[in-house]
Amino acid sequence: MKVVFPLIAQRHQTLHALPIALEMSARHPEVAVHIACLTASHLELARSLATLYPESRVQFDLLPISDALRHRIEAQGLRVLDRLMGLFFSRKYFKGFNAIIVPEATSLQLRHMGVRTPRMIWTGHGAGDRAIGFAKHLRKFDYLLVPGRKVEERMLEKGIIRPGFYHRGTYAKFDLVRRMHARRPPLFNNGRPTILYNPHFVQRFSSWRMMGKKLLDFFAAQDQYNLIFAPHFRLFDNHRQEGEALRREYAGLSHMLIDPGSERSIDMTYTMGADLYLGDVSSQVAEFMIRPRPCLFLNAHEAAWQDNPNYQSWTLGPVTDNIANPGQEIMKAFDTHSRFLETQRRYVLETFETLGEQPTAPAAADAIVNFLHKAA
């Protein structure tokens, strides 16, 4: 049996699929496992992370696209059109596998490019509450991995999954993070509480344009907290100069860490290293909750969020639409945390069915291989 894990989307999705590939290779020597990327730098990231699994024996492939397309992606970033072109030019390569296992849904377009025989399997790449995570096109996959009961129930209700064709209880990113950060040093050494500000990249949901710069200036002028500004990896996708300008603007402040999109913004360095989560709708709050801590949510878009399942995460802490006094709102979040603690614990178990202490990728790898054997 021969399977491939294409990593053709943004790098933050890599951590959700790669551990499953590595575990599958180690646990099922009869399966030839390939990792495929569009660019050399993305492939190097996958190779580097794979060293944490010395027992695995995966093969790393650069997808067969033109040098011009590869260089453009490296220089200008990854666009949807580039992904589609990469899939189209690689369709002969993909036809050689029994299964194509992906964390995104763009790869479903291979079905319209003549790649019909391989099974399409979805690992997912997050555990947020927004409706996009429960899109109807996901039902086109032959098999899906879901993190926990919360996602399972919504997917069953919408007809996205059906018994026998999914596996529950997987959040493989935690496996990799545990291996990466067994001895993580503190991000600051001044004894102050650390705030993580993590705005989303979709403008109609994000707090960044309405509130972000005011918050950064507030933290720059105070001496009570440290701030990590690590937005969603895609916030500055098409505005890298804006992100770098912010890094330069606050570079002289030792209590502020500005990261517009490095590898540390996707490997839970910041969610594990902060004392309070400040954000809007990013699914990273679910990862932050693996160790329950205070949260403060920013309603910058006048959302009617109460009793809305797309905003379930906003039940984990206070919600504010006013940052006239950010210090007061942050203090309120710290002071009232005990009220939300049980809700946070319940949210974690409903979302992941794990507290991140035991690996989940091995069972996911086994479930996929068992499904493929039965399907054959």
Side-chain angles (χ1 to χ4, degrees):
M1 187 184 298
K2 187 179 176 185
V3 306
V4 62
F5 287 73
L7 303 174
I8 65 163
Q10 284 78 14
R11 296 185 178 202
H12 66 285
Q13 297 187 14
T14 302
L15 283 76
H16 293 276
L18 185 62
I20 300 167
L22 299 172
E23 292 283 8
M24 186 180 295
S25 171
R27 297 167 67 84
H28 298 276
E30 78 282 8
V31 180
V33 179
H34 291 242
I35 306 292
C37 298
L38 290 167
T39 65
S41 64
H42 199 159
L43 199 66
E44 183 54 37
L45 170 64
R47 285 184 187 274
S48 175
L49 293 172
T51 61
L52 296 167
Y53 289 77
E55 65 276 21
S56 70
R57 296 291 184 270
V58 298
Q59 178 170 321
F60 295 92
D61 301 331
L62 269 177
L63 288 169
I65 63 176
S66 68
D67 289 341
L69 177 57
R70 207 181 312 280
H71 292 326
R72 186 173 78 212
I73 295 172
E74 291 278 25
Q76 301 179 13
L78 189 62
R79 302 174 303 170
V80 173
L81 178 60
D82 294 326
R83 276 185 271 169
L84 291 172
M85 291 176 65
L87 292 172
F88 180 78
F89 291 126
S90 304
R91 61 196 187 281
K92 182 178 179 181
Y93 167 86
F94 286 118
K95 287 180 180 179
F97 294 93
N98 299 98
I100 300 169
I101 305 167
V102 297
E104 37 69 35
T106 305
S107 294
L108 284 171
Q109 294 302 316
L110 286 168
R111 290 284 192 243
H112 303 289
M113 299 175 184
V115 184
R116 297 189 176 90
T117 303
R119 303 287 178 173
M120 298 292 296
I121 298 173
W122 187 71
T123 70
H125 64 271
D129 300 315
R130 289 200 305 127
I132 193 171
F134 306 91
K136 290 182 179 179
H137 61 252
L138 294 177
R139 68 181 62 170
K140 297 178 182 178
F141 282 100
D142 298 298
Y143 196 80
L144 298 90
L145 304 180
V146 299
R149 289 188 300 275
K150 180 186 73 174
V151 174
E152 178 191 36
E153 289 171 0
R154 288 184 70 178
M155 284 190 163
L156 284 170
E157 180 184 344
K158 293 178 177 294
I160 296 169
I161 56 176
R162 56 197 174 99
F165 294 87
Y166 71 91
H167 170 75
R168 188 184 82 191
T170 301
Y171 205 76
K173 181 176 179 178
F174 289 154
D175 299 19
L176 197 58
V177 167
R178 188 187 310 105
R179 295 193 183 209
M180 291 174 69
H181 300 300
R183 297 181 178 177
R184 182 188 294 109
L187 296 168
F188 302 94
N189 291 306
N190 55 23
R192 300 178 187 176
T194 296
I195 314 297
L196 168 61
Y197 177 39
N198 174 232
H200 199 260
F201 72 98
V202 178
Q203 188 168 335
R204 68 180 183 275
F205 300 121
S206 177
S207 60
W208 171 243
R209 296 298 172 197
M210 295 291 292
M211 300 178 171
K213 192 59 171 62
K214 295 176 183 177
L215 285 168
L216 295 190
D217 288 341
F218 162 77
F219 282 106
Q222 55 79 53
D223 60 5
Q224 188 174 358
Y225 303 107
N226 300 312
L227 176 75
I228 303 165
F229 173 57
H232 189 287
F233 191 71
R234 294 185 59 188
L235 180 64
F236 296 114
D237 250 0
N238 301 313
H239 310 280
R240 289 295 170 194
Q241 292 182 341
E242 179 184 350
E244 291 304 318
L246 287 169
R247 192 203 299 271
R248 291 192 297 272
E249 181 177 352
Y250 300 100
L253 299 173
S254 62
H255 68 286
M256 292 182 66
L257 192 164
I258 308 295
D259 188 339
S262 78
E263 305 302 345
R264 293 207 301 178
S265 69
I266 64 176
D267 67 10
M268 292 182 62
T269 292
Y270 301 137
T271 52
M272 298 299 287
D275 300 295
L276 180 143
Y277 180 93
L278 177 63
D280 33 66
V281 298
S282 175
S283 65
Q284 284 192 42
V285 71
E287 297 176 355
F288 182 85
M289 281 292 102
I290 202 69
R291 194 174 80 240
R293 285 157 287 172
C295 298
L296 175 60
F297 298 99
L298 302 170
N299 188 356
H301 45 283
E302 299 181 347
W305 62 272
Q306 289 92 343
D307 300 318
N308 184 337
N310 296 325
Y311 289 91
Q312 186 178 348
S313 63
W314 284 14
T315 65
L316 305 176
V319 179
T320 184
D321 57 7
N322 184 357
I323 59 161
N325 191 337
Q328 181 176 317
E329 298 295 335
I330 291 168
M331 184 61 69
K332 176 184 175 183
F334 275 115
D335 289 345
T336 61
H337 180 230
S338 60
R339 301 181 195 172
F340 299 94
L341 189 55
E342 185 54 35
T343 302
Q344 292 181 350
R345 288 172 176 156
R346 191 165 57 247
Y347 182 89
V348 170
L349 291 174
E350 289 175 353
T351 301
F352 301 117
E353 298 190 12
T354 176
L355 297 177
E357 297 163 352
Q358 298 297 324
T360 62
D366 293 348
I368 292 171
V369 172
N370 290 339
F371 165 74
L372 293 174
H373 281 311
K374 291 177 181 178

